[in-house]
mmCIF file of all heavy atoms in Angstrom:
data_model
loop_
_atom_site.group_PDB
_atom_site.id
_atom_site.type_symbol
_atom_site.label_atom_id
_atom_site.label_comp_id
_atom_site.label_asym_id
_atom_site.label_seq_id
_atom_site.Cartn_x
_atom_site.Cartn_y
_atom_site.Cartn_z
ATOM 1 N N LEU Q 248 158.726 -16.076 38.625
ATOM 2 C CA LEU Q 248 158.912 -17.112 39.623
ATOM 3 C C LEU Q 248 157.646 -17.918 39.853
ATOM 4 O O LEU Q 248 157.698 -19.142 40.058
ATOM 5 C CB LEU Q 248 159.381 -16.458 40.932
ATOM 6 C CG LEU Q 248 159.613 -17.394 42.112
ATOM 7 C CD1 LEU Q 248 160.758 -18.347 41.826
ATOM 8 C CD2 LEU Q 248 159.888 -16.602 43.388
ATOM 9 N N GLU Q 249 156.487 -17.259 39.844
ATOM 10 C CA GLU Q 249 155.234 -17.946 40.146
ATOM 11 C C GLU Q 249 154.900 -19.026 39.124
ATOM 12 O O GLU Q 249 154.064 -19.891 39.395
ATOM 13 C CB GLU Q 249 154.087 -16.919 40.192
ATOM 14 C CG GLU Q 249 154.253 -15.831 41.233
ATOM 15 C CD GLU Q 249 154.180 -16.372 42.650
ATOM 16 O OE1 GLU Q 249 153.548 -17.439 42.827
ATOM 17 O OE2 GLU Q 249 154.754 -15.765 43.560
ATOM 18 N N ARG Q 250 155.516 -19.003 37.966
ATOM 19 C CA ARG Q 250 155.198 -19.986 36.935
ATOM 20 C C ARG Q 250 155.933 -21.316 37.141
ATOM 21 O O ARG Q 250 155.599 -22.311 36.500
ATOM 22 C CB ARG Q 250 155.559 -19.433 35.549
ATOM 23 C CG ARG Q 250 154.791 -18.190 35.152
ATOM 24 C CD ARG Q 250 155.279 -17.659 33.813
ATOM 25 N NE ARG Q 250 154.577 -16.450 33.412
ATOM 26 C CZ ARG Q 250 153.478 -16.420 32.661
ATOM 27 N NH1 ARG Q 250 152.950 -17.534 32.231
ATOM 28 N NH2 ARG Q 250 152.917 -15.271 32.352
ATOM 29 N N PHE Q 251 156.918 -21.340 38.012
ATOM 30 C CA PHE Q 251 157.755 -22.532 38.147
ATOM 31 C C PHE Q 251 157.246 -23.455 39.242
ATOM 32 O O PHE Q 251 156.728 -23.001 40.276
ATOM 33 C CB PHE Q 251 159.206 -22.127 38.440
ATOM 34 C CG PHE Q 251 159.811 -21.241 37.389
ATOM 35 C CD1 PHE Q 251 160.338 -20.000 37.714
ATOM 36 C CD2 PHE Q 251 159.842 -21.643 36.061
ATOM 37 C CE1 PHE Q 251 160.890 -19.180 36.749
ATOM 38 C CE2 PHE Q 251 160.399 -20.833 35.089
ATOM 39 C CZ PHE Q 251 160.913 -19.595 35.430
ATOM 40 N N LEU Q 252 157.443 -24.736 39.020
ATOM 41 C CA LEU Q 252 157.039 -25.727 40.003
ATOM 42 C C LEU Q 252 157.849 -25.591 41.287
ATOM 43 O O LEU Q 252 159.067 -25.394 41.244
ATOM 44 C CB LEU Q 252 157.243 -27.140 39.447
ATOM 45 C CG LEU Q 252 156.294 -27.623 38.351
ATOM 46 C CD1 LEU Q 252 156.638 -29.042 37.942
ATOM 47 C CD2 LEU Q 252 154.855 -27.557 38.822
ATOM 48 N N GLY Q 253 157.172 -25.710 42.420
ATOM 49 C CA GLY Q 253 157.849 -25.709 43.712
ATOM 50 C C GLY Q 253 158.309 -24.369 44.190
ATOM 51 O O GLY Q 253 159.101 -24.296 45.145
ATOM 52 N N HIS Q 254 157.825 -23.260 43.600
ATOM 53 C CA HIS Q 254 158.314 -21.941 44.001
ATOM 54 C C HIS Q 254 157.868 -21.569 45.410
ATOM 55 O O HIS Q 254 158.403 -20.646 46.017
ATOM 56 C CB HIS Q 254 157.822 -20.884 43.011
ATOM 57 C CG HIS Q 254 156.338 -20.672 43.064
ATOM 58 N ND1 HIS Q 254 155.458 -21.450 42.351
ATOM 59 C CD2 HIS Q 254 155.583 -19.768 43.759
ATOM 60 C CE1 HIS Q 254 154.221 -21.048 42.593
ATOM 61 N NE2 HIS Q 254 154.268 -20.040 43.437
ATOM 62 N N GLU Q 255 156.878 -22.300 45.958
ATOM 63 C CA GLU Q 255 156.377 -21.963 47.293
ATOM 64 C C GLU Q 255 157.421 -22.230 48.373
ATOM 65 O O GLU Q 255 157.436 -21.579 49.413
ATOM 66 C CB GLU Q 255 155.110 -22.779 47.611
ATOM 67 C CG GLU Q 255 153.979 -22.586 46.607
ATOM 68 C CD GLU Q 255 154.041 -23.611 45.475
ATOM 69 O OE1 GLU Q 255 155.085 -24.295 45.357
ATOM 70 O OE2 GLU Q 255 153.063 -23.709 44.716
ATOM 71 N N ASN Q 256 158.284 -23.188 48.144
ATOM 72 C CA ASN Q 256 159.276 -23.566 49.150
ATOM 73 C C ASN Q 256 160.655 -23.097 48.701
ATOM 74 O O ASN Q 256 161.268 -23.698 47.821
ATOM 75 C CB ASN Q 256 159.265 -25.089 49.359
ATOM 76 C CG ASN Q 256 160.091 -25.507 50.564
ATOM 77 O OD1 ASN Q 256 160.995 -24.809 50.998
ATOM 78 N ND2 ASN Q 256 159.755 -26.662 51.122
ATOM 79 N N LYS Q 257 161.142 -22.030 49.295
ATOM 80 C CA LYS Q 257 162.424 -21.475 48.884
ATOM 81 C C LYS Q 257 163.597 -22.388 49.251
ATOM 82 O O LYS Q 257 164.665 -22.294 48.638
ATOM 83 C CB LYS Q 257 162.628 -20.097 49.521
ATOM 84 C CG LYS Q 257 161.622 -19.046 49.051
ATOM 85 C CD LYS Q 257 161.872 -17.713 49.714
ATOM 86 C CE LYS Q 257 160.871 -16.663 49.231
ATOM 87 N NZ LYS Q 257 161.093 -15.341 49.872
ATOM 88 N N ASP Q 258 163.411 -23.244 50.241
ATOM 89 C CA ASP Q 258 164.507 -24.123 50.661
ATOM 90 C C ASP Q 258 164.766 -25.244 49.655
ATOM 91 O O ASP Q 258 165.889 -25.753 49.572
ATOM 92 C CB ASP Q 258 164.196 -24.741 52.029
ATOM 93 C CG ASP Q 258 164.229 -23.702 53.131
ATOM 94 O OD1 ASP Q 258 164.959 -22.705 52.970
ATOM 95 O OD2 ASP Q 258 163.520 -23.880 54.142
ATOM 96 N N THR Q 259 163.737 -25.679 48.928
ATOM 97 C CA THR Q 259 163.889 -26.824 48.021
ATOM 98 C C THR Q 259 163.709 -26.452 46.553
ATOM 99 O O THR Q 259 163.814 -27.322 45.687
ATOM 100 C CB THR Q 259 162.869 -27.919 48.383
ATOM 101 O OG1 THR Q 259 161.535 -27.390 48.262
ATOM 102 C CG2 THR Q 259 163.097 -28.433 49.789
ATOM 103 N N PHE Q 260 163.430 -25.182 46.255
ATOM 104 C CA PHE Q 260 163.188 -24.807 44.863
ATOM 105 C C PHE Q 260 164.420 -25.082 43.997
ATOM 106 O O PHE Q 260 164.326 -25.689 42.931
ATOM 107 C CB PHE Q 260 162.787 -23.333 44.779
ATOM 108 C CG PHE Q 260 162.576 -22.855 43.370
ATOM 109 C CD1 PHE Q 260 161.463 -23.245 42.648
ATOM 110 C CD2 PHE Q 260 163.510 -22.024 42.755
ATOM 111 C CE1 PHE Q 260 161.264 -22.812 41.337
ATOM 112 C CE2 PHE Q 260 163.326 -21.596 41.449
ATOM 113 C CZ PHE Q 260 162.209 -21.992 40.747
ATOM 114 N N PHE Q 261 165.559 -24.628 44.470
ATOM 115 C CA PHE Q 261 166.803 -24.947 43.764
ATOM 116 C C PHE Q 261 167.360 -26.262 44.302
ATOM 117 O O PHE Q 261 167.492 -26.436 45.513
ATOM 118 C CB PHE Q 261 167.833 -23.827 43.946
ATOM 119 C CG PHE Q 261 167.469 -22.545 43.265
ATOM 120 C CD1 PHE Q 261 167.094 -21.434 44.005
ATOM 121 C CD2 PHE Q 261 167.498 -22.444 41.877
ATOM 122 C CE1 PHE Q 261 166.756 -20.241 43.376
ATOM 123 C CE2 PHE Q 261 167.162 -21.256 41.233
ATOM 124 C CZ PHE Q 261 166.788 -20.157 41.989
ATOM 125 N N LYS Q 262 167.698 -27.164 43.392
ATOM 126 C CA LYS Q 262 168.256 -28.448 43.804
ATOM 127 C C LYS Q 262 169.633 -28.228 44.428
ATOM 128 O O LYS Q 262 170.307 -27.229 44.142
ATOM 129 C CB LYS Q 262 168.375 -29.380 42.603
ATOM 130 C CG LYS Q 262 167.043 -29.753 41.990
ATOM 131 C CD LYS Q 262 167.198 -30.809 40.912
ATOM 132 C CE LYS Q 262 167.971 -30.283 39.719
ATOM 133 N NZ LYS Q 262 168.015 -31.277 38.607
ATOM 134 N N PRO Q 263 170.096 -29.147 45.262
ATOM 135 C CA PRO Q 263 171.436 -28.997 45.855
ATOM 136 C C PRO Q 263 172.522 -28.805 44.804
ATOM 137 O O PRO Q 263 173.441 -28.001 44.999
ATOM 138 C CB PRO Q 263 171.628 -30.314 46.626
ATOM 139 C CG PRO Q 263 170.239 -30.752 46.977
ATOM 140 C CD PRO Q 263 169.392 -30.319 45.822
ATOM 141 N N THR Q 264 172.428 -29.520 43.693
ATOM 142 C CA THR Q 264 173.456 -29.379 42.652
ATOM 143 C C THR Q 264 173.434 -27.988 42.042
ATOM 144 O O THR Q 264 174.485 -27.448 41.672
ATOM 145 C CB THR Q 264 173.238 -30.425 41.557
ATOM 146 O OG1 THR Q 264 171.877 -30.373 41.085
ATOM 147 C CG2 THR Q 264 173.512 -31.828 42.082
ATOM 148 N N GLN Q 265 172.250 -27.384 41.933
ATOM 149 C CA GLN Q 265 172.167 -26.023 41.398
ATOM 150 C C GLN Q 265 172.739 -25.007 42.385
ATOM 151 O O GLN Q 265 173.395 -24.037 41.983
ATOM 152 C CB GLN Q 265 170.715 -25.686 41.063
ATOM 153 C CG GLN Q 265 170.160 -26.492 39.899
ATOM 154 C CD GLN Q 265 168.701 -26.197 39.626
ATOM 155 O OE1 GLN Q 265 167.901 -25.986 40.557
ATOM 156 N NE2 GLN Q 265 168.320 -26.178 38.355
ATOM 157 N N ARG Q 266 172.502 -25.251 43.658
ATOM 158 C CA ARG Q 266 173.092 -24.368 44.670
ATOM 159 C C ARG Q 266 174.627 -24.465 44.624
ATOM 160 O O ARG Q 266 175.329 -23.456 44.762
ATOM 161 C CB ARG Q 266 172.562 -24.739 46.053
ATOM 162 C CG ARG Q 266 171.055 -24.572 46.219
ATOM 163 C CD ARG Q 266 170.577 -25.095 47.553
ATOM 164 N NE ARG Q 266 170.997 -24.228 48.641
ATOM 165 C CZ ARG Q 266 170.225 -23.323 49.241
ATOM 166 N NH1 ARG Q 266 168.958 -23.165 48.838
ATOM 167 N NH2 ARG Q 266 170.672 -22.588 50.230
#
Side-chain angles (χ1 to χ4, degrees):
L248 179 65
E249 300 293 335
R250 298 176 181 268
F251 302 123
L252 288 181
H254 68 274
E255 302 91 347
N256 190 336
K257 295 180 180 180
D258 291 332
T259 60
F260 178 73
F261 292 109
K262 296 187 294 185
T264 52
Q265 292 177 323
R266 298 174 72 100

